[in-house]
Amino acid sequence: MLIAHNQPAWSEEWPDTFTQKNFRVQSQVSTEKILPAIQALPQLQEQIAEDLGITVYDETIDVMIFSSSYQFRKYIRPRIPEAANRPALFVKAPDRLYVFVTYSRSWETDLRHEVTHATLHGSMPYLPIWIDEGLAKYFEVPAELKGRNDEMLSNLKWRLRFRQPIRARELEEMQDLTDMRTEHYRDSWAWIYFCLNHTQESRVLLQNYLKEIQNEEVPGSFVDQMLGLFPDLQQSAKNFYQ
């Protein structure tokens, strides 16, 4: 998730602080409990660069880990009240990239999701909302799954069984993150997974689109580009997922 923030960098006392390459960590949870997941973050960034064919810059990312939802809300509510009930958050400040995560059963997934946002926004001038969220859902799962999100996949297959199309234009027209619902995250992930795993041509299509954005060009509609490669796009996606 991305929320623009215009305030100065935040600072507070944290029991555990350390640095892992370009990640500066402040944690209310002991280092030994979080270290393996933090140590894997540079590999996540390498995976993003390799899979997407973009240059990932080594911007410093401040990671703050809270011991409970209460502690997360206590810290976030005065600063970004609309995000206080979330388990995790990415914030792009004028000169800093922040990731805030609640330590819970899903904290590693949440961490990878928000660090993906931070990595992309530290390396690219902008991203369409649905592509940004689709990529974050793709990379939030462990690397060995290669973007396969079984929960979303199961739900998607059920939808396709009832001949319901995967949203495309609706996603592309979204201008505000608050409009994203569960089904929009699922369908955003579905198109990213489709492109990166269907054919070499579909993979290159997405990579070239992202490279154009990184080069500060205006690539236009990605849905139009997918339709150019797959004229019967919905049927191609249905065949891929069945």
Side-chain angles (χ1 to χ4, degrees):
M1 175 181 180
L2 168 66
I3 294 181
H5 189 72
N6 296 317
Q7 298 301 315
W10 300 321
S11 63
E12 278 195 2
E13 294 295 325
W14 295 82
D16 284 62
T17 62
F18 63 94
T19 299
Q20 176 71 31
K21 292 193 175 180
N22 59 310
F23 294 92
R24 187 163 46 200
V25 181
Q26 300 177 85
S27 177
Q28 296 175 348
V29 181
S30 65
T31 299
E32 62 182 15
K33 291 182 178 180
I34 64 172
L35 189 57
I38 298 297
Q39 288 176 326
L41 294 179
Q43 287 73 44
L44 170 61
Q45 292 192 311
E46 291 173 7
Q47 180 192 2
I48 291 170
E50 181 178 352
D51 288 356
L52 303 185
I54 61 172
T55 301
V56 166
Y57 301 125
D58 58 351
E59 297 284 336
T60 298
I61 298 174
D62 285 282
V63 179
M64 299 183 179
I65 300 173
F66 299 85
S67 59
S68 67
S69 297
Y70 170 78
Q71 292 294 338
F72 179 90
R73 289 193 297 269
K74 179 182 175 183
Y75 189 85
I76 295 297
R77 183 173 284 120
R79 297 166 171 87
I80 314 175
E82 66 272 23
N85 292 322
R86 297 179 178 271
L89 178 68
F90 160 59
V91 174
K92 184 175 184 179
D95 59 346
R96 302 282 285 276
L97 300 168
Y98 292 96
V99 167
F100 304 94
V101 182
T102 302
Y103 188 76
S104 65
R105 289 184 180 180
S106 64
W107 87 276
E108 291 186 48
T109 298
D110 296 334
L111 176 69
R112 288 191 295 265
H113 183 103
E114 303 303 340
V115 166
T116 297
H117 282 313
T119 299
L120 293 171
H121 286 270
S123 303
M124 305 185 74
Y126 72 94
L127 275 174
I129 291 171
W130 70 281
I131 291 180
D132 189 14
E133 293 301 333
L135 289 169
K137 296 303 292 185
Y138 185 92
F139 289 108
E140 74 176 26
V141 299
E144 59 269 21
L145 295 181
K146 298 182 179 179
R148 180 187 174 100
N149 188 311
D150 286 331
E151 181 180 354
M152 291 195 164
L153 182 59
S154 175
N155 189 274
L156 181 71
K157 287 185 174 181
W158 179 88
R159 178 179 174 86
L160 292 173
R161 246 181 249 121
F162 288 91
R163 300 183 180 180
Q164 297 295 315
I166 305 172
R167 294 168 181 81
R169 293 294 185 194
E170 181 180 343
L171 298 176
E172 195 164 59
E173 292 170 0
M174 286 190 164
Q175 300 296 320
D176 195 325
L177 186 63
T178 59
D179 294 331
M180 291 281 288
R181 300 188 300 274
T182 300
E183 59 268 28
H184 297 130
Y185 284 96
R186 179 201 61 213
D187 290 358
S188 297
W189 164 83
W191 288 122
I192 297 298
Y193 188 80
F194 170 80
C195 286
L196 289 176
N197 293 280
H198 182 30
T199 65
Q200 180 63 20
E201 290 78 13
S202 64
R203 187 181 186 90
V204 170
L205 184 76
L206 178 59
Q207 290 175 337
N208 287 342
Y209 182 85
L210 296 174
K211 285 176 184 176
E212 287 187 60
I213 292 177
Q214 188 164 56
N215 292 332
E216 300 187 0
E217 300 171 13
V218 182
S221 165
F222 187 62
V223 173
D224 283 347
Q225 293 189 26
M226 288 194 293
L227 285 166
L229 185 59
F230 303 103
D232 193 348
L233 181 60
Q234 291 292 339
Q235 187 61 49
S236 296
K238 184 176 181 179
N239 292 342
F240 172 73
Y241 281 111
Q242 287 183 333

